[in-house]
Structure formats: C-alpha cells, structure tokens
Amino acid sequence: MDWFGIAKALHIISVIAWMAGMLYLPRLFVYHAQTDAGTPQSETFKVMERRLLRAIMNPAMGGTWVFGGAMLALAPAWLSDGWLHAKLMLVVAMTFVHHLFGYWRKTFERDENRRSPRFYRLWNEMPTLLLIGIVFLVVLKPF
Ligand code: HEM
C-alpha cells in the first residue's frame, strides 16, 4: 500500500476544502457587514457562516494537519529542512487567521459586529497571500 500517496491525496483534498472556506467566509463577512442586524438577510448570513465554519472549515483544517503530519511521520527526513520550517510558520499563521475568523463570526452571531466591510475586504486577502507562499515553498522546496 502507498500510504504516503494516500496521505498526500487526503492532504490535498483537505487543503482545497479548507482554502475554499478561508476565501469565502471573509467575503460573507463583507456582505454581512453591509446588512442591518435583525433583518432576514442578516439571519441568513449567520446560518451560512456557521455551517461553513463548522461543517467544512473546521474538519478540513483538522484533516490538513493530520494528513500533513502523517506524511512527516512517514518521511521524517524533511523535518530538518528549511522549506518545511518556513511552510509550517505560514501554516500556523493560516490557523491563527482561521481562529480570528471564528471569533469574528461569533460577533456577527451576537449582532455585535462594529467592523466595516472594508476591514473584511482587506482580511480577505490574507489567506490568499499565505496560500501562495505555502504552495511555492512545498513545490519548489527552495532551501
Ligand atoms: C498543517 C500542517 C502541514 C503539514 C505538516 C504539511 C506537510 C506536507 C508534506 C510533508 C507534503 C509532501 C511534500 C512532497 O511530497 O513533496 C505536503 C504537500 C503539500 N502541501 Fe502540505 N502541509 C501542511 C499544511 C498545508 C497547507 C495549509 C497547505 C496549503 C494551504 C498545504 C499545501 C500542500 C500542497 C499543495 C502539497 C502538494 C505538493 C506536491 O505534491 O508537490 N499544506 N504537505
């Protein structure tokens, strides 16, 4: 059995699902921040945000870590490589941003958002920048 190949396929599937959510959730925040609290639209955004985070993003983030870790357990020589250390730093940053989004989702849930659509539009770019850095590091392994 090609356990490494299986872990890598599951890793990539998890990464795709996680990134789909990391790119879409702040976009929902942009629209939600333009909506008045208590309106039907605002309540619909709450459901969309909660389901996206709980049903897709949280399990996908877990899968990314578990299957990435499984590959390192099967190929531990990479643990001393610079590209992996740099990648892991960016992945920790991505995980931090994920939790930040989770915190902001709760403020929307409680109708307590005070941040502007522009604020969320700017944060919408952060996962994209981290994603570009991570993929170049893992594919090129430059150091
Ligand atoms: C959670 C911690 C993570 C660990 C421990 C980890 C570890 C790994 C390892 C060991 C590989 C195999 C490299 C190879 O076969 O050349 C890999 C592949 C890959 N990882 Fe991760 N990874 C993590 C998170 C991420 C994240 C967050 C992303 C993207 C946002 C990502 C994107 C990729 C991609 C696209 C590949 C396939 C690269 C290729 O086949 O050349 N990883 N990862």
Side-chain angles (χ1 to χ4, degrees):
M1 272 298 235
D2 179 5
W3 291 112
F4 184 89
I6 291 169
K8 189 161 163 171
L10 293 172
H11 181 65
I12 292 171
I13 292 164
S14 305
V15 163
I16 290 171
W18 187 18
M19 290 308 109
M22 289 297 286
L23 299 178
Y24 189 42
L25 185 60
R27 190 73 347 234
L28 287 176
F29 292 160
V30 171
Y31 298 131
H32 199 164
Q34 299 173 50
T35 311
D36 289 327
T39 57
Q41 292 92 322
S42 171
E43 296 306 309
T44 304
F45 280 129
K46 286 185 192 178
V47 175
M48 292 170 78
E49 290 156 2
R50 186 174 62 242
R51 294 208 178 136
L52 182 62
L53 191 75
R54 297 222 181 127
I56 309 236
M57 293 169 66
N58 286 343
M61 178 180 64
T64 302
W65 276 96
V66 166
F67 298 121
M71 278 188 285
L72 293 181
L74 293 166
W78 275 326
L79 285 168
S80 51
D81 285 7
W83 69 268
L84 182 70
H85 302 159
K87 173 179 170 172
L88 288 180
M89 278 196 310
L90 296 185
V91 177
V92 167
M94 186 79 84
T95 304
F96 176 78
V97 174
H98 174 112
H99 285 93
L100 211 52
F101 288 175
Y103 171 74
W104 291 335
R105 189 199 71 77
K106 283 190 183 147
T107 66
F108 275 111
E109 180 100 76
R110 296 191 302 263
D111 291 328
E112 287 171 3
N113 174 59
R114 299 284 173 272
R115 298 178 184 86
S116 67
R118 188 180 140 75
F119 174 87
Y120 293 113
R121 207 170 279 124
L122 287 175
W123 273 93
N124 203 178
E125 307 305 329
M126 186 55 85
T128 311
L129 295 176
L130 292 171
L131 173 66
I132 291 169
I134 291 169
V135 172
F136 270 93
L137 280 167
V138 76
V139 172
L140 299 179
K141 300 185 177 54
F143 42 83

